[in-house]
Amino acid sequence: MSVLVIADHDNASIKGSTLNVVAAAKQMGGDIAVLVAGQGCSAAADAAAKIEGVAKVLLADNAAYAHHLAENLAALVVELAKDYTHVVSAAGTTGKDFLPRVAALLDVAQVSEIIAVQSADTFVRPIYAGNAIATVQSSDAIKVVTVRSTGFDPVAAEGGSAAVEAVGAAHDVGISSFVGEEIAKSDRPELTAASIVISGGRGMQNGDNFKMLEGIADKLGAAVGASRAAVDAGFVPNDMQVGQTGKIVAPQLYIAVGISGAIQHLAGMSDSKVIVAINKDEEAPIFQVADYGLVADLFVALPELEGKL
Amino acid sequence: MKVLVAVKRVIDYNVKVRVKPDNTGVDLTNVKMAMNPFCEIAVEEAVRLKEKGVATEIVVVSIGPKAAQEQIRTALALGADRGIHVETDEEIQSLAAAKLLKAVVDKEQPSLVILGKQSIDNDNNQTGQMLAALAGYPQGTFASEVSVDGDKVKVTREIDGGLMTVSLNLPAIVTTDLRLNEPRYASLPNIMKAKKKPLESTTPADLGVDVTPRLTTLKVEAPAQRQAGIKVADVAELVDKLKNEAKVI
């Protein structure tokens, strides 16, 4: 048995979610190889080699993989996959994009967003927006799996000393190309990695008012998130969305402000250790999952909260 | 150009999901069913492409039991031209769905296939990507903007860090994210007209596709319930609790 983990990285460093994926891979059993595919990504490969429990790093450094286009990345992974029993990535937007393509080309099923490993072929995953938890067994020779980071404690980023091996294959399928991207720049921690998250919903009324959350976030070292309603209303960009179809978070402390608590939002944050809800509607469903509820006008409560921190 | 849209019949998103007492699955008896919300967005995008004069024909396909014809009729009422129903009472997993859709693509030769990014029942987020792989087409997943330009389509995708735009050679696969558009409602006259639109029926056997499941669901359980905590009187008490009781700040 052997597991191929496809790393999430930005060429210079490995994203935190990869450490959770390696933790899941360890439970599947066998040697763990990590593929770092990109352009100018040798620094990321060196970082991957230091991850605890990694036996080997495969470095595919080529212009074809520069923007992780699914068509090219899938062709590469399919070629490598034949030597492994498991092919695994984080269930971020990159993994969700290319990995089903890999599975189809291998003629195997994919098991999406697992939150636990029961055995080498049996996995646990939420369905129906987390309203049901399914245990599924794969009968395919190669198990293709995406991992929900919050389901696994990360392995150590340091301590390993794997060899880095270059992979020569350049798969440029030539049917897609990168045009551009708008990546949000922020000094705050990443949503999915932050130990404290403060999110705003429709009750924030507009995007400007999110500055009230940012002030508190900066005092707490927190990330700022949003409900789907706030994103749909155009208050804030999509990358801030927490929920079933946005980001799944499980911080030590989640503060929901002006969020009613729709099922699809709860699906993205209900594994948080401590949940605080601030809402003026005392009937809001968010209070049913909150450890500490404050029924208050957020425009009064937020400045007071910032002042007391 | 011809656009193919795939739609799925799923539990209505407003329905409270209940796990069966014997842990074999989710109870769907006498539960309201509807078109998967992401599929509604896919239909709407196709209709808008037709209204812009980009698409000339919209074919809608659904895989599932007889009742899935309701969702095809809904799509026809929203503006699709004709329907294809792949009728089966078997459990169809993503890979099998992709193979069935590939067979339909081979027959119909659309320039663009639009699907929802995931269905709200199994939350797999796989079928569009798998179809793209099997057809050898490029894919624009989690689309928030789609524009066809000659023999290419430009797709803006919602990614973890923000937005990414790719250019794909046609034919291509697009999967929809939430903010691609806001689907319209079908008008009564259009619902009546949709009843007369052509709807052809086929089966996995007719299409020559083996739909045997690869994954076995061993059990389905209700998630651990979170208990509601306490209400605090004011911000001072909240800060005190977080510092001294929960010890998280």
Side-chain angles (χ1 to χ4, degrees):
Chain A
M1 292 220 300
S2 51
V3 186
L4 177 64
V5 170
I6 294 96
D8 250 343
H9 67 92
D10 61 4
N11 290 326
S13 62
I14 296 287
K15 286 195 190 159
S17 58
T18 303
L19 303 177
N20 307 80
V21 177
V22 170
K26 271 180 135 173
Q27 296 180 25
M28 293 172 194
D31 282 348
I32 298 170
V34 174
L35 170 67
V36 177
Q39 187 179 26
C41 55
S42 59
D46 291 342
K50 295 197 184 89
I51 297 173
E52 176 203 339
V54 172
K56 180 165 75 171
V57 172
L58 301 173
L59 168 62
D61 191 340
N62 192 282
Y65 314 124
H67 301 285
H68 304 130
L69 293 175
E71 298 78 9
N72 299 347
L73 193 49
L76 170 68
V77 175
V78 166
E79 186 190 293
L80 300 172
K82 308 235 155 46
D83 298 332
Y84 298 89
T85 53
H86 296 75
V87 178
V88 188
S89 83
T93 48
T94 306
K96 285 175 175 176
D97 187 36
F98 81 87
L99 207 57
R101 206 173 165 104
V102 170
L105 293 172
L106 294 171
D107 193 30
V108 302
Q110 175 179 301
V111 186
S112 294
E113 296 219 25
I114 64 160
I115 54 170
V117 176
Q118 287 212 331
S119 70
D121 66 359
T122 304
F123 310 97
V124 180
R125 60 180 299 265
I127 54 176
Y128 291 89
N131 286 296
I133 306 295
T135 304
V136 297
Q137 186 172 34
S138 166
S139 59
D140 286 315
I142 302 177
K143 277 73 178 165
V144 173
V145 179
T146 63
V147 173
R148 182 176 286 188
S149 312
T150 55
F152 299 87
D153 291 330
V155 298
E158 302 282 337
S161 57
V164 179
E165 204 174 283
V167 178
H171 292 274
D172 187 358
V173 183
I175 51 177
S176 56
S177 59
F178 172 81
V179 176
E181 61 188 2
E182 291 168 43
I183 301 297
K185 288 267 176 280
S186 170
D187 295 334
R188 295 189 193 92
E190 217 187 314
L191 255 180
T192 52
S195 60
I196 301 178
V197 173
I198 181 165
S199 290
R202 198 193 298 275
M204 297 303 294
Q205 295 184 0
N206 60 52
D208 267 354
N209 289 336
F210 269 73
K211 291 201 179 80
M212 300 166 73
L213 300 182
E214 290 167 8
I216 294 169
D218 289 341
K219 287 205 160 173
L220 292 172
V224 180
S227 71
R228 177 185 164 185
V231 178
D232 281 357
F235 299 170
V236 290
N238 64 280
D239 53 87
M240 288 171 64
Q241 184 178 325
V242 172
Q244 180 188 15
T245 65
K247 297 205 168 82
I248 311 287
V249 302
Q252 293 293 305
L253 172 61
Y254 187 88
I255 307 173
V257 183
I259 290 176
S260 64
I263 285 172
Q264 67 86 25
H265 185 75
L266 301 183
M269 46 63 82
S270 56
D271 286 334
S272 304
K273 185 160 170 273
V274 175
I275 296 175
V276 169
I278 302 175
N279 202 302
K280 66 179 175 194
D281 173 13
E282 64 179 313
E283 301 296 320
I286 190 78
F287 287 120
Q288 291 165 18
V289 300
D291 298 286
Y292 302 108
L294 175 60
V295 180
D297 182 346
L298 66 92
F299 295 103
V300 177
L302 288 179
E304 202 186 330
L305 179 59
E306 187 177 346
K308 285 195 167 30
L309 291 171
Chain B
M1 88 178 190
K2 188 195 277 188
V3 178
L4 180 71
V5 182
V7 301
K8 185 175 182 187
R9 176 183 173 87
V10 298
I11 194 166
D12 185 274
Y13 75 96
N14 285 310
V15 172
K16 174 104 182 85
V17 171
R18 280 177 213 292
V19 171
K20 286 187 199 168
D22 65 359
N23 294 118
T24 56
V26 162
D27 194 356
L28 294 178
T29 43
N30 300 320
V31 162
K32 189 183 175 205
M33 303 293 279
M35 191 190 294
N36 180 44
F38 290 98
C39 303
E40 287 183 341
I41 297 171
V43 172
E44 175 68 30
E45 195 63 17
V47 173
R48 289 188 189 189
L49 286 173
K50 196 175 175 197
E51 286 168 348
K52 280 186 215 155
V54 176
T56 49
E57 188 189 22
I58 302 169
V59 181
V60 59
V61 55
S62 190
I63 302 163
K66 188 98 190 157
Q69 291 192 5
E70 287 169 29
Q71 280 62 50
I72 298 179
R73 289 291 174 200
T74 302
L76 294 172
L78 291 168
D81 297 297
R82 63 185 169 88
I84 299 172
H85 178 212
V86 183
E87 191 176 342
T88 174
D89 290 322
E90 303 296 313
E91 179 197 355
I92 301 294
Q93 297 180 347
S94 305
L95 182 61
K99 288 180 178 180
L100 292 168
L101 294 173
K102 162 69 165 58
V104 173
V105 164
D106 284 346
K107 205 162 137 244
E108 293 289 337
Q109 297 287 316
S111 299
L112 189 64
V113 187
I114 312 179
L115 305 89
K117 75 167 181 179
Q118 74 190 69
S119 61
I120 61 165
D121 47 6
N122 287 318
D123 285 333
N124 275 323
N125 195 332
Q126 299 173 0
T127 305
Q129 296 89 315
M130 287 182 159
L131 171 60
L134 298 175
Y137 293 172
Q139 65 191 47
T141 52
F142 328 141
S144 65
E145 205 179 328
V146 173
S147 66
V148 176
D149 181 18
D151 59 355
K152 290 190 194 297
V153 58
K154 205 157 90 174
V155 180
T156 300
R157 308 176 49 231
E158 294 199 359
I159 59 169
D160 287 338
L163 297 171
M164 172 185 187
T165 304
V166 291
S167 172
L168 313 173
N169 293 1
L170 293 175
I173 308 285
V174 167
T175 75
T176 62
D177 215 318
L178 292 167
R179 284 161 285 273
L180 180 57
N181 60 50
E182 244 177 82
R184 70 194 68 191
Y185 293 98
S187 68
L188 190 57
N190 284 343
I191 292 171
M192 301 310 288
K193 266 193 263 176
K195 292 182 177 165
K196 296 202 179 70
K197 289 185 178 176
L199 198 173
E200 103 187 57
S201 206
T202 183
T203 64
D206 287 345
L207 295 170
V209 175
D210 175 5
V211 296
T212 310
R214 306 294 187 84
L215 302 175
T216 310
T217 300
L218 302 179
K219 64 180 171 189
V220 174
E221 297 162 298
Q225 287 299 321
R226 254 193 116 92
Q227 298 299 317
I230 57 161
K231 292 262 168 62
V232 292
D234 51 32
V235 170
E237 188 187 349
L238 175 63
V239 172
D240 175 63
K241 293 279 186 196
L242 292 178
K243 276 189 178 151
N244 301 317
E245 191 176 87
K247 298 187 167 63
V248 285
I249 60 171

